[in-house]
Amino acid sequence: MTFDEFRKLIDLSMEEICTDFIRENRDLVRVKKQRTAVKNMLKIFESTVEISNRKGFKAMSVRDLSRATGLSMGGLYSFISSKNDLLDIIRVGYRIITRILTEAIAEVSDPHEKLHKLIQTHVYLSEAMRSLFYFVYMETRYLKKEAQKKSMEMELFTEKLFTDILDEGCIRGQFHSVDTVLTAAAIKALLQDWYLKPWKYRQRKITVEAYAQFVTAIVDSYVLLSPATPE
């Protein structure tokens, strides 16, 4: 499956996350026109990421957001009462990410195929939602304790998906008897490199499809048990 096919299949975008955020925060967002609200909410989030990359979320002010988005202070307060309200976007994003990763492997029974599916889905998701993935990774240390805890839980959740697949593959005799927890953590690190250092892959003209295939091949070379070498 190509990345474009993936996006069409799940109909995912940051616009969807902003739409869900607005739908769940009707008492906070005081903009009636849905299209305008989503457009400006997306602008606010993208500006938050850009400013955070330069000076950090902790140092960012609502006035910084006003300058970056071109919205007046009053316009911003129609969406958020403080910059910390933006952390709810992360919560919405986590829910969507969890659902898509879980659904991607739900109907796959073969551990090897499931492993490939999860790697591809994760890489494609991080490409479709790069700003969210990057923001959460870089700013976790500055978030409130509750948000920090959720971020760590999300990373452990992803690793647990991989650990369970690796455990199943070992039991079925498809994979080597590896340390599945450590292997899952290493896979997660490979996946993170795609959205943390995008400049490196753009410079080398490596596509998202090629990177997903590369990670899959690396993992296969380590865990896959050849029929000729039973354990």
Side-chain angles (χ1 to χ4, degrees), residues 166-225:
L166 292 167
D167 283 339
E168 185 180 1
C170 289
I171 291 171
R172 293 196 186 188
Q174 290 182 309
F175 301 153
H176 289 287
S177 296
V178 297
D179 183 326
T180 56
V181 173
L182 189 56
T183 302
I187 294 172
K188 179 65 176 179
L190 280 171
L191 297 175
Q192 287 173 329
D193 204 56
W194 175 255
Y195 59 86
L196 293 180
K197 302 171 186 174
W199 60 269
K200 180 169 59 176
Y201 299 106
R202 283 198 299 266
Q203 189 179 79
R204 295 166 180 169
K205 298 182 179 178
I206 297 172
T207 66
V208 63
E209 291 90 353
Y211 192 75
Q213 291 170 5
F214 169 75
V215 175
T216 297
I218 287 290
V219 174
D220 273 357
S221 69
Y222 181 66
V223 304
L224 199 58
L225 182 65

Short mmCIF file of all heavy atoms in Angstrom, two decimals, residues 166-225:
data_model
loop_
_atom_site.label_atom_id
_atom_site.label_comp_id
_atom_site.label_asym_id
_atom_site.label_seq_id
_atom_site.Cartn_x
_atom_site.Cartn_y
_atom_site.Cartn_z
N LEU A 166 5.73 -9.87 18.59
CA LEU A 166 7.00 -10.61 18.64
C LEU A 166 6.86 -11.86 19.52
O LEU A 166 7.37 -12.93 19.17
CB LEU A 166 8.11 -9.71 19.16
CG LEU A 166 8.52 -8.55 18.23
CD1 LEU A 166 9.40 -7.56 18.98
CD2 LEU A 166 9.25 -9.08 16.99
N ASP A 167 6.19 -11.72 20.65
CA ASP A 167 5.96 -12.87 21.54
C ASP A 167 5.18 -13.96 20.81
O ASP A 167 5.52 -15.16 20.89
CB ASP A 167 5.17 -12.44 22.78
CG ASP A 167 6.03 -11.71 23.80
OD1 ASP A 167 7.26 -11.87 23.76
OD2 ASP A 167 5.47 -10.96 24.62
N GLU A 168 4.15 -13.53 20.08
CA GLU A 168 3.33 -14.49 19.35
C GLU A 168 4.15 -15.19 18.26
O GLU A 168 4.04 -16.41 18.06
CB GLU A 168 2.13 -13.76 18.72
CG GLU A 168 1.13 -14.70 18.02
CD GLU A 168 -0.03 -13.95 17.41
OE1 GLU A 168 -0.07 -12.70 17.50
OE2 GLU A 168 -0.90 -14.61 16.82
N GLY A 169 4.99 -14.42 17.58
CA GLY A 169 5.82 -15.00 16.53
C GLY A 169 6.83 -15.99 17.08
O GLY A 169 7.14 -17.00 16.43
N CYS A 170 7.36 -15.70 18.26
CA CYS A 170 8.31 -16.62 18.90
C CYS A 170 7.61 -17.92 19.28
O CYS A 170 8.14 -19.02 19.07
CB CYS A 170 8.93 -15.97 20.14
SG CYS A 170 10.08 -14.62 19.79
N ILE A 171 6.41 -17.79 19.84
CA ILE A 171 5.65 -18.97 20.26
C ILE A 171 5.30 -19.85 19.05
O ILE A 171 5.36 -21.09 19.13
CB ILE A 171 4.36 -18.53 20.99
CG1 ILE A 171 4.70 -17.91 22.34
CG2 ILE A 171 3.40 -19.71 21.19
CD1 ILE A 171 3.52 -17.25 23.04
N ARG A 172 4.98 -19.22 17.93
CA ARG A 172 4.62 -19.97 16.73
C ARG A 172 5.82 -20.50 15.95
O ARG A 172 5.67 -21.22 14.97
CB ARG A 172 3.79 -19.09 15.79
CG ARG A 172 2.41 -18.72 16.33
CD ARG A 172 1.55 -18.22 15.19
NE ARG A 172 0.27 -17.73 15.64
CZ ARG A 172 -0.71 -17.37 14.82
NH1 ARG A 172 -0.54 -17.45 13.51
NH2 ARG A 172 -1.85 -16.92 15.29
N GLY A 173 7.02 -20.12 16.40
CA GLY A 173 8.22 -20.61 15.73
C GLY A 173 8.56 -19.85 14.46
O GLY A 173 9.34 -20.34 13.63
N GLN A 174 8.03 -18.63 14.31
CA GLN A 174 8.36 -17.80 13.16
C GLN A 174 9.55 -16.90 13.41
O GLN A 174 10.28 -16.54 12.49
CB GLN A 174 7.14 -16.94 12.76
CG GLN A 174 5.99 -17.72 12.16
CD GLN A 174 4.85 -16.79 11.76
OE1 GLN A 174 4.41 -15.97 12.56
NE2 GLN A 174 4.37 -16.91 10.55
N PHE A 175 9.73 -16.51 14.68
CA PHE A 175 10.79 -15.58 15.05
C PHE A 175 11.81 -16.25 15.96
O PHE A 175 11.50 -17.20 16.67
CB PHE A 175 10.22 -14.36 15.78
CG PHE A 175 9.19 -13.57 14.99
CD1 PHE A 175 8.22 -12.84 15.65
CD2 PHE A 175 9.21 -13.55 13.60
CE1 PHE A 175 7.27 -12.12 14.95
CE2 PHE A 175 8.27 -12.82 12.88
CZ PHE A 175 7.30 -12.11 13.56
N HIS A 176 13.02 -15.68 15.95
CA HIS A 176 14.04 -16.10 16.90
C HIS A 176 13.58 -15.79 18.32
O HIS A 176 12.73 -14.92 18.53
CB HIS A 176 15.36 -15.35 16.64
CG HIS A 176 16.08 -15.76 15.40
ND1 HIS A 176 16.75 -16.97 15.28
CD2 HIS A 176 16.23 -15.11 14.21
CE1 HIS A 176 17.29 -17.05 14.08
NE2 HIS A 176 16.99 -15.94 13.40
N SER A 177 14.16 -16.47 19.29
CA SER A 177 13.84 -16.20 20.70
C SER A 177 14.61 -14.96 21.16
O SER A 177 15.61 -15.04 21.88
CB SER A 177 14.21 -17.41 21.57
OG SER A 177 13.44 -18.53 21.21
N VAL A 178 14.14 -13.81 20.71
CA VAL A 178 14.80 -12.54 21.03
C VAL A 178 14.20 -11.95 22.31
O VAL A 178 13.17 -12.41 22.80
CB VAL A 178 14.62 -11.54 19.88
CG1 VAL A 178 15.29 -12.05 18.61
CG2 VAL A 178 13.15 -11.24 19.62
N ASP A 179 14.87 -10.93 22.84
CA ASP A 179 14.31 -10.15 23.94
C ASP A 179 13.25 -9.27 23.29
O ASP A 179 13.55 -8.24 22.68
CB ASP A 179 15.41 -9.31 24.59
CG ASP A 179 14.90 -8.52 25.80
OD1 ASP A 179 13.73 -8.10 25.78
OD2 ASP A 179 15.69 -8.31 26.73
N THR A 180 12.00 -9.65 23.42
CA THR A 180 10.94 -8.97 22.68
C THR A 180 10.69 -7.54 23.16
O THR A 180 10.35 -6.67 22.37
CB THR A 180 9.62 -9.77 22.75
OG1 THR A 180 9.26 -10.00 24.12
CG2 THR A 180 9.77 -11.12 22.05
N VAL A 181 10.87 -7.30 24.45
CA VAL A 181 10.67 -5.95 24.98
C VAL A 181 11.74 -5.01 24.44
O VAL A 181 11.43 -3.89 23.99
CB VAL A 181 10.69 -5.96 26.52
CG1 VAL A 181 10.65 -4.53 27.07
CG2 VAL A 181 9.52 -6.76 27.07
N LEU A 182 12.98 -5.45 24.48
CA LEU A 182 14.08 -4.61 23.98
C LEU A 182 13.98 -4.43 22.47
O LEU A 182 14.25 -3.34 21.94
CB LEU A 182 15.42 -5.26 24.35
CG LEU A 182 16.69 -4.43 24.11
CD1 LEU A 182 16.60 -3.10 24.85
CD2 LEU A 182 17.91 -5.20 24.54
N THR A 183 13.59 -5.49 21.77
CA THR A 183 13.43 -5.40 20.31
C THR A 183 12.33 -4.42 19.95
O THR A 183 12.47 -3.62 19.02
CB THR A 183 13.11 -6.79 19.72
OG1 THR A 183 14.15 -7.70 20.07
CG2 THR A 183 13.02 -6.71 18.20
N ALA A 184 11.22 -4.45 20.68
CA ALA A 184 10.12 -3.51 20.43
C ALA A 184 10.58 -2.07 20.65
O ALA A 184 10.21 -1.17 19.88
CB ALA A 184 8.95 -3.83 21.36
N ALA A 185 11.39 -1.84 21.68
CA ALA A 185 11.90 -0.49 21.95
C ALA A 185 12.81 -0.03 20.81
O ALA A 185 12.79 1.15 20.42
CB ALA A 185 12.66 -0.48 23.27
N ALA A 186 13.61 -0.95 20.27
CA ALA A 186 14.51 -0.61 19.17
C ALA A 186 13.72 -0.29 17.90
O ALA A 186 14.07 0.63 17.14
CB ALA A 186 15.48 -1.77 18.91
N ILE A 187 12.64 -1.03 17.66
CA ILE A 187 11.78 -0.76 16.51
C ILE A 187 11.16 0.63 16.65
O ILE A 187 11.14 1.41 15.69
CB ILE A 187 10.66 -1.82 16.38
CG1 ILE A 187 11.26 -3.18 16.05
CG2 ILE A 187 9.65 -1.41 15.31
CD1 ILE A 187 10.25 -4.33 16.10
N LYS A 188 10.70 0.96 17.84
CA LYS A 188 10.11 2.28 18.10
C LYS A 188 11.11 3.39 17.80
O LYS A 188 10.76 4.42 17.22
CB LYS A 188 9.63 2.36 19.54
CG LYS A 188 9.01 3.68 19.94
CD LYS A 188 7.72 3.96 19.20
CE LYS A 188 7.07 5.25 19.69
NZ LYS A 188 5.83 5.56 18.96
N ALA A 189 12.37 3.18 18.19
CA ALA A 189 13.41 4.18 17.93
C ALA A 189 13.62 4.39 16.43
O ALA A 189 13.80 5.52 15.97
CB ALA A 189 14.71 3.76 18.61
N LEU A 190 13.60 3.31 15.67
CA LEU A 190 13.73 3.41 14.21
C LEU A 190 12.55 4.19 13.62
O LEU A 190 12.73 5.02 12.72
CB LEU A 190 13.77 2.02 13.58
CG LEU A 190 15.11 1.27 13.61
CD1 LEU A 190 14.91 -0.17 13.15
CD2 LEU A 190 16.13 1.97 12.73
N LEU A 191 11.37 3.95 14.13
CA LEU A 191 10.18 4.63 13.64
C LEU A 191 10.22 6.13 13.97
O LEU A 191 9.80 6.96 13.17
CB LEU A 191 8.93 3.99 14.25
CG LEU A 191 8.69 2.53 13.88
CD1 LEU A 191 7.49 1.97 14.65
CD2 LEU A 191 8.46 2.36 12.39
N GLN A 192 10.74 6.45 15.14
CA GLN A 192 10.82 7.85 15.56
C GLN A 192 11.77 8.66 14.69
O GLN A 192 11.55 9.85 14.45
CB GLN A 192 11.25 7.94 17.03
CG GLN A 192 10.18 7.52 18.01
CD GLN A 192 10.69 7.47 19.43
OE1 GLN A 192 11.86 7.18 19.67
NE2 GLN A 192 9.81 7.72 20.38
N ASP A 193 12.81 8.02 14.18
CA ASP A 193 13.80 8.74 13.39
C ASP A 193 13.17 9.37 12.15
O ASP A 193 13.62 10.42 11.69
CB ASP A 193 14.93 7.80 12.97
CG ASP A 193 16.22 8.55 12.67
OD1 ASP A 193 16.68 9.29 13.57
OD2 ASP A 193 16.76 8.42 11.56
N TRP A 194 12.12 8.76 11.62
CA TRP A 194 11.48 9.29 10.41
C TRP A 194 10.88 10.68 10.64
O TRP A 194 11.02 11.56 9.80
CB TRP A 194 10.40 8.32 9.91
CG TRP A 194 9.65 8.89 8.74
CD1 TRP A 194 8.38 9.42 8.73
CD2 TRP A 194 10.15 9.02 7.41
NE1 TRP A 194 8.06 9.87 7.48
CE2 TRP A 194 9.13 9.64 6.65
CE3 TRP A 194 11.35 8.69 6.78
CZ2 TRP A 194 9.27 9.93 5.29
CZ3 TRP A 194 11.50 8.97 5.43
CH2 TRP A 194 10.48 9.58 4.70
N TYR A 195 10.21 10.87 11.77
CA TYR A 195 9.56 12.17 11.97
C TYR A 195 10.39 13.15 12.79
O TYR A 195 10.10 14.34 12.81
CB TYR A 195 8.16 12.01 12.59
CG TYR A 195 8.09 11.31 13.93
CD1 TYR A 195 8.26 11.99 15.12
CD2 TYR A 195 7.79 9.96 14.01
CE1 TYR A 195 8.16 11.36 16.35
CE2 TYR A 195 7.68 9.31 15.23
CZ TYR A 195 7.86 10.01 16.39
OH TYR A 195 7.76 9.38 17.61
N LEU A 196 11.47 12.67 13.43
CA LEU A 196 12.33 13.57 14.17
C LEU A 196 13.40 14.21 13.30
O LEU A 196 13.87 15.32 13.57
CB LEU A 196 12.99 12.83 15.34
CG LEU A 196 12.07 12.37 16.46
CD1 LEU A 196 12.87 11.65 17.54
CD2 LEU A 196 11.30 13.54 17.06
N LYS A 197 13.80 13.53 12.23
CA LYS A 197 14.86 14.05 11.35
C LYS A 197 14.43 14.01 9.88
O LYS A 197 15.11 13.40 9.03
CB LYS A 197 16.13 13.22 11.55
CG LYS A 197 16.63 13.22 12.99
CD LYS A 197 17.75 12.24 13.21
CE LYS A 197 18.12 12.16 14.68
NZ LYS A 197 19.14 11.10 14.95
N PRO A 198 13.30 14.64 9.56
CA PRO A 198 12.79 14.58 8.19
C PRO A 198 13.73 15.18 7.16
O PRO A 198 13.77 14.73 6.00
CB PRO A 198 11.49 15.38 8.26
CG PRO A 198 11.66 16.28 9.44
CD PRO A 198 12.46 15.49 10.43
N TRP A 199 14.52 16.21 7.56
CA TRP A 199 15.44 16.86 6.63
C TRP A 199 16.44 15.86 6.04
O TRP A 199 16.82 15.95 4.86
CB TRP A 199 16.21 17.97 7.35
CG TRP A 199 17.04 17.48 8.51
CD1 TRP A 199 16.65 17.37 9.81
CD2 TRP A 199 18.38 16.97 8.46
NE1 TRP A 199 17.66 16.84 10.59
CE2 TRP A 199 18.74 16.59 9.78
CE3 TRP A 199 19.31 16.81 7.44
CZ2 TRP A 199 19.99 16.06 10.10
CZ3 TRP A 199 20.57 16.28 7.75
CH2 TRP A 199 20.89 15.91 9.08
N LYS A 200 16.86 14.91 6.87
CA LYS A 200 17.86 13.93 6.44
C LYS A 200 17.33 13.06 5.32
O LYS A 200 18.04 12.78 4.33
CB LYS A 200 18.26 13.08 7.65
CG LYS A 200 19.29 12.01 7.36
CD LYS A 200 19.83 11.41 8.66
CE LYS A 200 18.77 10.77 9.51
NZ LYS A 200 19.33 10.11 10.71
N TYR A 201 16.08 12.65 5.42
CA TYR A 201 15.49 11.77 4.42
C TYR A 201 15.04 12.53 3.18
O TYR A 201 15.12 12.00 2.06
CB TYR A 201 14.35 10.97 5.05
CG TYR A 201 14.87 10.12 6.19
CD1 TYR A 201 14.62 10.47 7.53
CD2 TYR A 201 15.67 9.01 5.93
CE1 TYR A 201 15.15 9.71 8.56
CE2 TYR A 201 16.20 8.26 6.96
CZ TYR A 201 15.94 8.61 8.28
OH TYR A 201 16.47 7.87 9.30
N ARG A 202 14.59 13.78 3.37
CA ARG A 202 14.26 14.60 2.20
C ARG A 202 15.50 14.87 1.38
O ARG A 202 15.47 14.83 0.15
CB ARG A 202 13.62 15.92 2.65
CG ARG A 202 12.16 15.81 3.08
CD ARG A 202 11.48 17.16 3.08
NE ARG A 202 12.11 18.09 4.01
CZ ARG A 202 11.70 18.27 5.26
NH1 ARG A 202 10.65 17.60 5.72
NH2 ARG A 202 12.31 19.14 6.04
N GLN A 203 16.59 15.18 2.06
CA GLN A 203 17.86 15.46 1.39
C GLN A 203 18.33 14.27 0.56
O GLN A 203 18.88 14.42 -0.53
CB GLN A 203 18.92 15.85 2.43
CG GLN A 203 20.23 16.38 1.86
CD GLN A 203 21.19 16.75 2.97
OE1 GLN A 203 21.84 15.89 3.57
NE2 GLN A 203 21.29 18.04 3.27
N ARG A 204 18.08 13.09 1.06
CA ARG A 204 18.49 11.86 0.37
C ARG A 204 17.40 11.31 -0.54
O ARG A 204 17.54 10.24 -1.11
CB ARG A 204 18.89 10.81 1.41
CG ARG A 204 20.12 11.23 2.19
CD ARG A 204 20.35 10.38 3.43
NE ARG A 204 21.53 10.82 4.15
CZ ARG A 204 21.86 10.41 5.37
NH1 ARG A 204 21.09 9.54 6.00
NH2 ARG A 204 22.95 10.85 5.96
N LYS A 205 16.28 12.04 -0.63
CA LYS A 205 15.15 11.69 -1.51
C LYS A 205 14.60 10.29 -1.21
O LYS A 205 14.31 9.50 -2.11
CB LYS A 205 15.58 11.80 -2.97
CG LYS A 205 15.96 13.22 -3.35
CD LYS A 205 16.35 13.35 -4.82
CE LYS A 205 16.70 14.80 -5.13
NZ LYS A 205 17.13 15.00 -6.51
N ILE A 206 14.51 10.01 0.07
CA ILE A 206 13.95 8.73 0.53
C ILE A 206 12.46 8.93 0.80
O ILE A 206 12.08 9.79 1.60
CB ILE A 206 14.67 8.23 1.79
CG1 ILE A 206 16.15 7.96 1.47
CG2 ILE A 206 14.00 6.97 2.34
CD1 ILE A 206 16.99 7.64 2.67
N THR A 207 11.64 8.16 0.16
CA THR A 207 10.19 8.30 0.32
C THR A 207 9.72 7.61 1.59
O THR A 207 10.42 6.77 2.17
CB THR A 207 9.44 7.70 -0.88
OG1 THR A 207 9.66 6.28 -0.89
CG2 THR A 207 9.92 8.31 -2.20
N VAL A 208 8.50 7.95 2.00
CA VAL A 208 7.94 7.33 3.19
C VAL A 208 7.73 5.83 2.95
O VAL A 208 7.92 5.01 3.87
CB VAL A 208 6.62 8.02 3.59
CG1 VAL A 208 5.55 7.88 2.51
CG2 VAL A 208 6.11 7.51 4.92
N GLU A 209 7.38 5.46 1.73
CA GLU A 209 7.21 4.03 1.40
C GLU A 209 8.54 3.29 1.52
O GLU A 209 8.61 2.18 2.07
CB GLU A 209 6.66 3.86 -0.01
CG GLU A 209 5.23 4.30 -0.21
CD GLU A 209 5.11 5.76 -0.62
OE1 GLU A 209 6.14 6.46 -0.62
OE2 GLU A 209 3.99 6.20 -0.93
N ALA A 210 9.62 3.93 1.02
CA ALA A 210 10.94 3.31 1.06
C ALA A 210 11.41 3.14 2.50
O ALA A 210 12.03 2.12 2.85
CB ALA A 210 11.95 4.13 0.26
N TYR A 211 11.11 4.12 3.34
CA TYR A 211 11.54 4.01 4.74
C TYR A 211 10.79 2.90 5.47
O TYR A 211 11.39 2.14 6.25
CB TYR A 211 11.36 5.33 5.48
CG TYR A 211 12.07 5.33 6.81
CD1 TYR A 211 13.45 5.46 6.88
CD2 TYR A 211 11.36 5.16 8.00
CE1 TYR A 211 14.11 5.43 8.10
CE2 TYR A 211 12.02 5.13 9.23
CZ TYR A 211 13.39 5.27 9.27
OH TYR A 211 14.05 5.22 10.48
N ALA A 212 9.50 2.79 5.21
CA ALA A 212 8.72 1.72 5.83
C ALA A 212 9.26 0.36 5.42
O ALA A 212 9.39 -0.56 6.25
CB ALA A 212 7.25 1.85 5.44
N GLN A 213 9.60 0.21 4.14
CA GLN A 213 10.16 -1.05 3.65
C GLN A 213 11.52 -1.32 4.26
O GLN A 213 11.86 -2.47 4.58
CB GLN A 213 10.26 -1.00 2.13
CG GLN A 213 8.91 -1.01 1.42
CD GLN A 213 9.02 -0.71 -0.06
OE1 GLN A 213 10.12 -0.58 -0.60
NE2 GLN A 213 7.89 -0.60 -0.73
N PHE A 214 12.32 -0.27 4.45
CA PHE A 214 13.65 -0.42 5.04
C PHE A 214 13.55 -0.93 6.48
O PHE A 214 14.25 -1.86 6.87
CB PHE A 214 14.39 0.91 5.01
CG PHE A 214 15.65 0.93 5.82
CD1 PHE A 214 16.80 0.30 5.36
CD2 PHE A 214 15.69 1.57 7.06
CE1 PHE A 214 17.96 0.30 6.12
CE2 PHE A 214 16.85 1.58 7.82
CZ PHE A 214 17.99 0.95 7.35
N VAL A 215 12.68 -0.30 7.28
CA VAL A 215 12.53 -0.72 8.67
C VAL A 215 12.03 -2.16 8.74
O VAL A 215 12.51 -2.96 9.55
CB VAL A 215 11.56 0.22 9.42
CG1 VAL A 215 11.30 -0.30 10.84
CG2 VAL A 215 12.11 1.64 9.49
N THR A 216 11.11 -2.49 7.87
CA THR A 216 10.59 -3.86 7.82
C THR A 216 11.72 -4.85 7.53
O THR A 216 11.81 -5.91 8.17
CB THR A 216 9.50 -3.98 6.73
OG1 THR A 216 8.40 -3.12 7.08
CG2 THR A 216 9.00 -5.40 6.63
N ALA A 217 12.57 -4.52 6.55
CA ALA A 217 13.67 -5.41 6.18
C ALA A 217 14.67 -5.56 7.32
O ALA A 217 15.17 -6.67 7.58
CB ALA A 217 14.37 -4.87 4.93
N ILE A 218 14.97 -4.47 8.02
CA ILE A 218 15.90 -4.50 9.15
C ILE A 218 15.36 -5.41 10.26
O ILE A 218 16.07 -6.27 10.80
CB ILE A 218 16.13 -3.09 9.72
CG1 ILE A 218 17.00 -2.26 8.77
CG2 ILE A 218 16.78 -3.15 11.10
CD1 ILE A 218 18.44 -2.70 8.68
N VAL A 219 14.09 -5.24 10.58
CA VAL A 219 13.46 -6.04 11.64
C VAL A 219 13.40 -7.51 11.23
O VAL A 219 13.70 -8.41 12.03
CB VAL A 219 12.06 -5.50 11.97
CG1 VAL A 219 11.35 -6.41 12.97
CG2 VAL A 219 12.14 -4.08 12.52
N ASP A 220 13.04 -7.77 9.98
CA ASP A 220 12.99 -9.15 9.48
C ASP A 220 14.35 -9.83 9.62
O ASP A 220 14.45 -11.00 10.01
CB ASP A 220 12.57 -9.17 8.02
CG ASP A 220 11.05 -9.20 7.85
OD1 ASP A 220 10.35 -9.26 8.87
OD2 ASP A 220 10.58 -9.15 6.70
N SER A 221 15.40 -9.09 9.26
CA SER A 221 16.75 -9.69 9.29
C SER A 221 17.16 -10.09 10.71
O SER A 221 17.98 -10.99 10.89
CB SER A 221 17.78 -8.71 8.71
OG SER A 221 17.96 -7.59 9.56
N TYR A 222 16.57 -9.43 11.69
CA TYR A 222 16.92 -9.72 13.08
C TYR A 222 16.02 -10.79 13.71
O TYR A 222 16.50 -11.67 14.43
CB TYR A 222 16.85 -8.45 13.92
CG TYR A 222 17.22 -8.66 15.37
CD1 TYR A 222 18.52 -9.03 15.73
CD2 TYR A 222 16.28 -8.52 16.38
CE1 TYR A 222 18.87 -9.24 17.05
CE2 TYR A 222 16.62 -8.71 17.71
CZ TYR A 222 17.92 -9.08 18.04
OH TYR A 222 18.26 -9.30 19.36
N VAL A 223 14.73 -10.72 13.42
CA VAL A 223 13.81 -11.59 14.16
C VAL A 223 13.35 -12.83 13.39
O VAL A 223 12.96 -13.83 14.01
CB VAL A 223 12.55 -10.83 14.61
CG1 VAL A 223 12.93 -9.60 15.43
CG2 VAL A 223 11.65 -10.44 13.46
N LEU A 224 13.38 -12.75 12.06
CA LEU A 224 12.76 -13.83 11.28
C LEU A 224 13.60 -15.10 11.33
O LEU A 224 14.80 -15.10 11.10
CB LEU A 224 12.57 -13.39 9.83
CG LEU A 224 11.56 -14.18 9.01
CD1 LEU A 224 10.17 -14.14 9.65
CD2 LEU A 224 11.48 -13.61 7.59
N LEU A 225 12.94 -16.20 11.62
CA LEU A 225 13.58 -17.49 11.74
C LEU A 225 13.49 -18.23 10.41
O LEU A 225 12.40 -18.49 9.90
CB LEU A 225 12.92 -18.33 12.84
CG LEU A 225 13.51 -19.70 13.13
CD1 LEU A 225 14.93 -19.56 13.68
CD2 LEU A 225 12.63 -20.43 14.13
#
